[in-house]
Amino acid sequence: MKKLITIFSLLAIMLFSISTAFATDYNLKNIHTLAIYTPSYKPSALSIERKAKLPNAPELITPDMLTDVIFKVAKEDEVTYTLLSDKDVIQNIKATTGTDITTLSNREALAIYKENIKNYADAYVIFTFANDSRVVMFADVYDAKDNHWICSYQIIGGDTEDDNLENYSMFMHKFFRTLTIQSQK
């Protein structure tokens, strides 16, 4: 019986590791401009160890590299809405309010960002990449007007997935395709 439960659990994990998305009653067709908040990223211990030991190891991934992947994939997938980078939003906030939020604490900067994002975008997405026992990507989409949560998206890589830009690119393709499909419903 224990073997049967173990086998069933492993099968369930494999099936559900593809992706999940949960949406609210928000009409995703209302998104014409989507701001991309700088991704939160935690490198895998294996990537850090490889970089320390091997001189020719791949470069460690940075949030800027992930942002570049997001924009590249959006262009490849021909998303129908305009994407704004954090840098664009930060420059716009500085131009209109005179406040450079890059000089503030994270808490203060996020508060000013949330207060002003409605002037530049319809929604914003916060990506989080984690590398514990598996590679995981979370995307939380918020309404820029009132900062209320719209939907979440999660993709969990398999045991053999690696902490690299190719996997994150694949995750982004799945995210944008899911968001596009959801907005067409």
Side-chain angles (χ1 to χ4, degrees):
M1 183 67 176
K2 287 183 181 180
K3 286 185 181 181
L4 184 60
I5 291 172
T6 303
I7 291 170
F8 179 72
S9 297
L10 289 173
L11 286 172
I13 289 170
M14 287 173 27
L15 289 173
F16 292 111
S17 70
I18 297 174
S19 66
T20 56
F22 304 98
T24 62
D25 292 335
Y26 183 88
N27 186 350
L28 295 173
K29 289 181 182 179
N30 293 337
I31 299 175
H32 302 290
T33 305
L34 180 67
I36 307 297
Y37 194 80
T38 300
S40 174
Y41 170 73
K42 176 188 170 204
S44 70
L46 182 60
S47 294
I48 294 170
E49 185 179 319
R50 259 191 241 149
K51 188 65 181 165
K53 289 183 180 179
L54 303 171
N56 295 334
E59 185 178 352
L60 288 177
I61 296 171
T62 66
D64 286 338
M65 294 166 82
L66 290 169
T67 301
D68 291 343
V69 166
I70 292 167
F71 279 87
K72 178 182 162 214
V73 168
K75 186 176 181 179
E76 289 172 5
D77 286 354
E78 299 175 352
V79 296
T80 57
Y81 36 85
T82 305
L83 293 183
L84 286 178
S85 73
D86 239 8
K87 292 175 184 169
D88 294 333
V89 174
I90 290 168
Q91 287 175 348
N92 288 336
I93 291 172
K94 186 175 182 180
T96 57
T97 67
T99 304
D100 183 4
I101 65 173
T102 60
T103 62
L104 304 175
S105 71
N106 288 343
R107 177 174 279 160
E108 292 171 322
L110 186 57
I112 292 173
Y113 182 94
K114 286 181 174 183
E115 182 180 310
N116 288 279
I117 190 64
K118 63 185 168 211
N119 300 322
Y120 315 109
D122 301 309
Y124 62 96
V125 60
I126 299 175
F127 290 100
T128 304
F129 297 89
N131 291 287
D132 294 323
S133 60
R134 294 176 185 265
V135 178
V136 181
M137 181 192 85
F138 302 94
D140 293 304
V141 182
Y142 296 90
D143 184 351
K145 295 189 182 10
D146 57 12
N147 297 301
H148 281 93
W149 171 81
I150 297 172
C151 65
S152 288
Y153 179 82
Q154 171 184 345
I155 185 166
I156 303 170
D159 286 341
T160 60
E161 304 288 344
D162 199 6
D163 175 20
N164 61 47
L165 290 176
E166 290 79 28
N167 280 334
Y168 297 129
S169 178
M170 175 197 55
F171 290 0
M172 285 298 135
H173 281 293
K174 290 180 179 183
F175 167 73
F176 283 118
R177 289 175 186 155
T178 300
L179 194 61
T180 300
I181 288 169
Q182 291 294 324
S183 69
Q184 292 171 350
K185 288 184 177 180

